Amino acid sequence: MSPEHLPSQRGSMLVMALFVMIVISLLGLTLVSVISSTSQSVVYDVLGTRALSAAQSGMQQAAAAAFPLNSGPAPCNTTINSPASYSNIDGLENCSYTARCRTTSIQKDGVAHYFYRFESTGLCQAGDVWVSRSVSMDALQEQ
C-alpha cells in the first residue's frame, strides 16, 4: 500500500501522550496528598505521646505532694504547674502540664477517710500544632 492510502492518524499519538501525562500527574498528586496526611498523623501521634508523658509527670508530682514520705496523710487542694526547668528535658521542650489535687473528707464504715481526686493535663506544641492529653486518678486513704 502506498502512503496515500493509509488512514490519517496525525495527532493521535499526541492525544495518547497527553492522556498518559494527565493520569501520571493525578497519581503523583494523590501520592503527595497521602504522604502529607501521613506525616501530619505522625506529628499528632508523637505530640500526643509527649503530652501524655507531661500529664503523667504532673500527676506523679501532685501525688507525691499529697502523700509525702514519713508523714501521715494530708489533704491537698492545690494546682501545680510545670517547673521552669521542665523545658530542659529532652523531648518535652515545648510541653507543659497543669496538675490539680482536691481532697474530700468522707466516712466509710464509720472510719474517716480522705478521698483524693488528681487531674493533670499535658500540653505540647510544635509550630502551629497544639496537642493536649488529660489523665485523672482517684485515691482513698484513712485519716
Side-chain angles (χ1 to χ4, degrees):
M1 277 191 148
S2 64
E4 300 93 35
H5 298 296
L6 290 176
S8 177
Q9 294 184 1
R10 292 187 181 171
S12 65
M13 205 54 177
L14 181 62
V15 172
M16 292 282 283
L18 188 59
F19 176 75
V20 169
M21 286 173 45
I22 290 172
V23 168
I24 289 175
S25 296
L26 289 174
L27 287 174
L29 289 173
T30 303
L31 183 62
V32 167
S33 174
V34 167
I35 289 173
S36 175
S37 66
T38 300
S39 296
Q40 187 145 7
S41 175
V42 168
V43 168
Y44 282 114
D45 285 346
V46 169
L47 284 179
T49 301
R50 290 178 180 181
L52 181 62
S53 292
Q56 290 173 337
S57 295
M59 178 79 67
Q60 292 171 3
Q61 186 74 21
F67 301 109
L69 293 176
N70 301 324
S71 66
C76 68
N77 290 303
T78 61
T79 299
I80 302 171
N81 293 310
S82 304
S85 62
Y86 197 66
S87 61
N88 296 330
I89 298 173
D90 289 337
L92 299 176
E93 295 90 0
N94 296 320
C95 297
S96 63
Y97 67 78
T98 301
R100 292 173 197 79
C101 174
R102 286 184 229 122
T103 306
T104 306
S105 293
I106 62 169
Q107 292 287 327
K108 181 178 179 202
D109 297 329
V111 178
H113 287 80
Y114 285 131
F115 175 76
Y116 296 90
R117 165 67 48 115
F118 299 98
E119 297 170 338
S120 181
T121 300
L123 179 67
C124 291
Q125 174 196 11
D128 61 346
V129 177
W130 292 79
V131 177
S132 69
R133 296 290 183 266
S134 296
V135 293
S136 63
M137 174 179 69
D138 296 331
L140 188 65
Q141 176 77 31
E142 277 189 37
Q143 291 185 13

